[in-house]
Structure formats: C-alpha cells, structure tokens
Amino acid sequence: MHLVGTIDRPHTHDPRNQAPMTTTPTKEPVGSATLDVTNSGANDSRQNRNREMQLIPEALARAHMHDRLTTAEVERRALHLVSARRMQRRAERVSLRARRALAMAVMQ
C-alpha cells in the first residue's frame, strides 16, 4: 500500500523536502527503456537560483556605487576644467596689464 502522504512524511512538490527515492524491484526486464530519475539537478539549480537571488542586493549596491563614483569623477573633471579656464583668463588679464604697463613705461 502506497500512500500519497503521511503525518511523518507529508507529500510536497518541493524536491528538497521529498523523501529520497528508493529503488524497488520492478517486474520490468533488465535494460528496459525506463530511466532511473533523480532530482539532484533540480536541487542544484534551485540552490544556484537562491544563491544568485541572495547576491542581487550586493550586485545592485556595487552597480550603484560604480555609477556614483563615475558621476563624482565626471563632476571632479568638470570643476577642474572650470578652475583651469578661470586661471587662464586671469593670467591673460595679468599679462595684458603687464604689457600696458611696459608700453606706458617705454612711451614716457
């Protein structure tokens, strides 16, 4: 008599919670077309999926930090360029002022 589920071993669709499959002698001839079925592949894929799902927040945080670092680097370069242009304009004004002063000194 084979019961679907008992109190000690309830029937479940989750391969991890099912009782291990036992090989019972069958009345089929040796070398028949039926294959011995194992669910280790289902367990492995389920464990991999769970592991991947647990790592999703870390991957998202890593991607977020990469985006923030890239943005900060772009802003840093932009500030550097702005300050370089400002110093260049200031140097040009000082140079022009020095030329004028030299010209005034020569003319007198």
Side-chain angles (χ1 to χ4, degrees):
M1 182 172 158
H2 186 288
L3 296 174
V4 175
T6 63
I7 293 175
D8 293 334
R9 292 183 177 219
H11 177 71
T12 176
H13 292 292
D14 188 1
R16 290 181 296 176
N17 295 335
Q18 287 181 357
M21 295 184 66
T22 58
T23 56
T24 56
T26 59
K27 296 177 183 150
E28 295 179 8
V30 176
S32 64
T34 59
L35 298 173
D36 189 20
V37 178
T38 61
N39 53 13
S40 65
N43 282 337
D44 291 344
S45 68
R46 185 178 305 269
Q47 286 173 355
N48 286 339
R49 187 171 58 225
N50 286 343
R51 205 170 294 127
E52 288 171 7
M53 291 182 75
Q54 287 173 354
L55 296 177
I56 285 174
E58 290 180 20
L60 285 173
R62 202 174 294 116
H64 184 64
M65 286 306 296
H66 178 72
D67 288 345
R68 291 190 62 173
L69 286 172
T70 304
T71 305
E73 183 64 31
V74 167
E75 288 177 1
R76 200 174 302 124
R77 275 194 244 132
L79 281 173
H80 185 70
L81 182 65
V82 166
S83 66
R85 285 184 179 164
R86 187 180 302 133
M87 287 191 290
Q88 182 182 4
R89 285 193 303 262
R90 188 176 183 183
E92 287 173 357
R93 283 195 305 262
V94 169
S95 172
L96 189 61
R97 207 175 302 143
R99 276 185 173 174
R100 283 186 191 149
L102 184 63
M104 293 294 276
V106 168
M107 291 198 42
Q108 286 183 352

